[in-house]
Amino acid sequence: MTQNDDGVNRLIGRINELQRGLAAAHAGRSTESVTETAGGGLVRATVSATGALQDLRISPLLADPSDPETLADTVVAAVQGAQKAVVARYRKRFEGLVDIP
């Protein structure tokens, strides 16, 4: 076996490791979700692993007809918080496998 063959074999081994790592990182992703709250827990948003909104719960205590802006801001904060949590989860899961900016 030549030195060149040894280098190719190491590269193939590294590629196989990367494939296994990526497969493990993706495992279960389709069924995962993240829930975040805002407004002291008055709004709860659940998003899928892709960031799509799956569920939204709003406490009647926050539903003030004279202040729709607060309700809207709180809903947006809960959804954005859940979406950021999904991104953070997957950045951590893929850390070391690939470079993610």
Side-chain angles (χ1 to χ4, degrees):
M1 185 181 289
T2 67
Q3 185 177 4
N4 196 22
D5 290 339
D6 191 40
V8 170
N9 287 335
R10 279 196 307 269
L11 178 59
I12 291 171
R14 177 63 181 127
I15 290 169
N16 288 334
E17 286 175 29
L18 182 58
Q19 285 177 325
R20 285 190 298 274
L22 289 172
H26 277 292
R29 186 171 185 234
S30 64
T31 60
E32 289 184 9
S33 62
V34 173
T35 301
E36 289 287 323
T37 62
L42 296 177
V43 174
R44 186 178 72 194
T46 301
V47 299
S48 69
T50 61
L53 184 62
Q54 292 181 316
D55 188 44
L56 181 65
R57 305 291 169 127
I58 301 170
S59 168
L61 298 173
L62 192 63
D64 180 357
S66 67
D67 188 14
E69 293 83 16
T70 297
L71 174 59
D73 290 345
T74 308
V75 168
V76 168
V79 172
Q80 287 179 341
Q83 290 170 332
K84 287 178 184 177
V86 162
V87 170
R89 175 183 288 177
Y90 286 98
R91 280 183 190 264
K92 184 174 178 89
R93 189 174 285 178
F94 284 88
E95 202 171 76
L97 293 175
V98 292
D99 292 328
I100 301 175

